Amino acid sequence: DAAAPLPAAAARRLRRWARRRAAREPLQLIVGTVGFRRLDLRVRPGVFVPRPETEVLAGEAIARTPAGGVVVEPCTGSGAVACAVAQEAGPARVVAIDSSPAAVALARANARRLGLAVEVRRGDLLDGAPRGLGGHVDVLVCNPPYLSWGEVGALEVEVREWDPPEALVGGPGGHETTDRLVAAAGAWLRPGGWLVVEAADTRAERTRRGCRSAGLADVRVLEDLTGRERIVCARLPGGR
């Protein structure tokens, strides 16, 4: 039997969606949601859209978060990683930070809608973190901007025209924001705490060396879902 025709309103909506997708608008923004691990997150223009590869970053943070631990996530964007950690790891406190007012608003909305205890603050990298957490963070997890302007220009339209530049560009060389994070990590982590950071595959080795130069130990570079070296994990010496 032939399928019943779509109601007129639904048909008009599909035509609008098709025109938007033909113009290379990301499907996630058209639909308004994205799946991330066990979460269904809202997304909106002006805030970085979480990618499946970053689920590996979240998984590594979750695996390293002790029950009742403290997790801080700068550059949170939509709040995807912070919300995943809050849902799956059983931490006592999750603090998410972003410099973008639009990202802060979206991350708060996602956490509230999902019923997750994530404290979202505005600030540049770790400037927004509560001062009292210095030396007490179990996991510092971040997907920072890690591209140069030249690298952004070579990306697909769906990325370079729709993701905000401040969520993509880490500085003239692409590595500057990551360098700042690595340098600051030791002041925030408790002894034995972990830094878990996503990096450009072309600069993962640089990030690994930076972690060692910053006094971090047990530095590992892990692959993402596409087999590229993407996740750098490092521990502050000490602790049990």
Side-chain angles (χ1 to χ4, degrees):
D1 296 335
L6 285 173
R12 287 194 297 272
R13 182 169 63 249
L14 283 176
R15 286 194 291 270
R16 287 197 301 271
W17 285 5
R19 288 194 295 270
R20 292 169 64 184
R21 186 67 192 103
R24 304 290 294 275
E25 182 176 351
L27 181 61
Q28 299 96 320
L29 294 179
I30 296 171
V31 176
T33 62
V34 64
F36 187 87
R37 292 183 66 88
R38 304 175 186 174
L39 303 171
D40 183 43
L41 296 165
R42 299 280 173 83
V43 292
R44 65 180 59 156
V47 180
F48 183 79
V49 175
R51 307 300 201 267
E53 290 80 5
T54 302
E55 294 186 20
V56 178
L57 177 79
E60 293 298 326
I62 290 164
R64 288 167 170 76
T65 301
V70 176
V71 179
V72 174
E73 188 211 3
C75 308
T76 193
S78 66
V81 173
C83 286
V85 172
Q87 183 188 64
E88 298 182 47
R93 189 174 186 184
V94 179
V95 178
I97 306 162
D98 205 286
S99 61
S100 162
V104 169
L106 180 59
R108 285 176 178 162
N110 274 324
R112 183 170 55 249
R113 186 175 62 87
L114 295 165
L116 297 171
V118 176
E119 179 183 342
V120 185
R121 291 169 165 250
R122 186 180 176 190
D124 176 34
L125 210 57
L126 287 161
D127 287 348
R131 297 293 104 185
L133 290 185
H136 298 284
V137 175
D138 293 281
V139 176
L140 176 57
V141 57
C142 186
N143 179 15
Y146 52 67
L147 300 175
S148 67
W149 280 108
E151 289 167 328
V152 169
L155 296 175
E156 295 180 345
V157 172
E158 287 85 346
V159 179
R160 70 172 187 265
E161 297 294 334
W162 290 94
D163 279 322
E166 62 270 21
L168 299 173
V169 179
H175 54 80
E176 287 82 359
T177 301
T178 301
D179 290 350
R180 288 169 51 210
L181 177 68
V182 170
W188 289 92
L189 293 171
R190 65 161 179 82
W194 286 92
L195 170 67
V196 184
V197 59
E198 185 167 322
D201 59 335
T202 55
R203 282 186 282 274
E205 177 60 23
R206 176 193 172 91
T207 303
R208 183 189 66 80
R209 293 195 306 268
C211 287
R212 288 184 172 173
S213 296
L216 302 179
D218 298 333
V219 185
R220 298 179 60 197
V221 180
L222 307 176
E223 294 180 348
D224 66 12
L225 297 175
T226 67
R228 296 177 178 175
E229 292 189 333
R230 183 77 68 182
I231 312 300
V232 181
C233 304
R235 183 180 62 83
L236 185 67
R240 291 182 295 176

